[in-house]
Amino acid sequence: GENVEQHPSTLSVQEGDSAVIKCTYSDSASNYFPWYKQELGKRPQLIIDIRSNVGEKKDQRIAVTLNKTAKHFSLHITETQPEDSAVYFCGGGDDKIIFGKGTRLHILP
Amino acid sequence: EPEVTQTPSHQVTQMGQEVILRCVPISNHLYFYWYRQILGQKVEFLVSFYNNEISEKSEIFDDQFSVERPDGSNFTLKIRSTKLEDSAMYFCASSLLEQETQYFGPGTRLLVL
């Protein structure tokens, strides 16, 4: 069945460094790939998304790349800040979104 | 900025009881979704709803689950006979169009005893 794999499950980076989270998906029909940030006890919030007709998208410190041939996509956060600490979920799909298991990102002072 | 709202924020119920979780999607959105998140785990798709009918559902969404849009604003998830393993956070989401940003509600934390 459809599946989205996400790595790593936990990531610790020094404040100011970059963080990269990677996902792969199985369903070739997937056309929409959102990334959500979830702080403890709160709802998931969309931070960036990309569609299959685009290979890269950037929004300030956040960028996402998509390789449709290899079926993988990545989230890049540059110049990390303490408020970036959260769980990040990648998703893939079209109508429904299949989410990865999440990456807990810790920004170390 | 418009937001998806959900009620109640918390629900405690006895196993075997029926629960109804309520959502008010963003007013001009056309696509509605329910997801669940068991504590510490990933967000799992349950069902999508468009044009007053289910467009897709997951294996989790069995005969015990149903969804309804009883009026022009509410979107409900009913669990007919709750089980212990139904304990989770249930998120409603809505989007204007297919493959557009899905906005999540604050969730309802369901605890089945």
Side-chain angles (χ1 to χ4, degrees), chain A residues 2-4 31-32 36 38 41-44 46 49 51 89 93-102, chain B residues 3-4 31 33 35 37 41-43 45 48 55-57 89 91 98-106:
Chain A
E2 301 140 331
N3 193 34
V4 173
N31 285 309
Y32 177 62
Y36 282 82
Q38 188 178 29
K42 297 193 175 177
R43 74 185 83 186
L46 182 84
D49 56 14
R51 287 170 179 78
F89 292 98
D94 41 38
D95 177 7
K96 67 182 182 186
I97 299 174
I98 304 298
F99 285 97
K101 290 188 176 180
Chain B
E3 282 192 333
V4 176
Y31 291 79
Y33 312 86
Y35 293 86
Q37 185 176 34
Q41 297 187 23
K42 69 175 177 177
V43 177
F45 170 79
S48 59
S55 47
E56 199 152 2
K57 60 183 181 179
M89 179 75 94
F91 290 105
E98 205 172 25
Q99 294 186 37
E100 292 284 330
T101 302
Q102 292 186 21
Y103 294 88
F104 280 69

Side-chain angles (χ1 to χ4, degrees), chain B residues 52-89:
Chain B
N52 280 320
E53 59 184 31
I54 291 173
S55 47
E56 199 152 2
K57 60 183 181 179
S58 71
E59 293 174 354
I60 302 168
F61 194 88
D62 61 22
D63 292 345
Q64 295 299 313
F65 290 85
S66 62
V67 289
E68 196 177 30
R69 188 152 160 84
D71 53 45
S73 59
N74 289 286
F75 179 51
T76 62
L77 174 70
K78 182 192 292 185
I79 309 174
R80 204 181 339 270
S81 176
T82 49
K83 303 188 283 281
L84 297 177
E85 53 265 37
D86 292 329
S87 296
M89 179 75 94

